[in-house]
């Protein structure tokens, strides 16, 4: 088993994050898809939360 320093792990994760952000930034179709997924997820969560909230009042 290889032991890696915390700095090496953080450096690798930061590099992957930066590369991911660059790819998304330069791909408008991917950015639109991710934004739509976030909107859909938020809407479902809000609807579900409000539905549960209204059931408590009845």
């Amino acid at each position: 088993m290889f032991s890696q320093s915390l700095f090496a792990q953080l450096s690798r994760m930061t590099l992957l994050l930066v590369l991911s952000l660059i790819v998304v930034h330069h791909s408008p179709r991917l950015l639109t898809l991710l934004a739509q997924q976030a909107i859909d997820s938020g809407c479902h969560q809000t609807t579900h939360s409000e539905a549960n909230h209204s059931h408590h009042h009845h």
Side-chain angles (χ1 to χ4, degrees):
M1 180 180 284
F2 298 125
S3 75
Q4 298 177 349
S5 69
L6 182 61
F7 179 74
Q9 291 177 354
L10 289 175
S11 297
R12 187 176 313 131
M13 284 191 276
T14 302
L15 180 63
L16 288 172
L17 175 62
V18 169
L19 288 174
S20 299
L21 291 174
I22 290 171
V23 168
V24 169
H25 182 72
H26 290 289
S27 176
R29 187 176 177 196
L30 181 60
L31 184 59
T32 303
L33 179 65
L34 291 173
Q36 188 61 46
Q37 289 291 328
I39 291 169
D40 289 344
S41 177
C43 288
H44 288 292
Q45 188 176 13
T46 302
T47 303
H48 185 68
S49 176
E50 288 175 358
N52 283 342
H53 191 255
S54 66
H55 287 301
H56 291 297
H57 285 288
H58 289 132

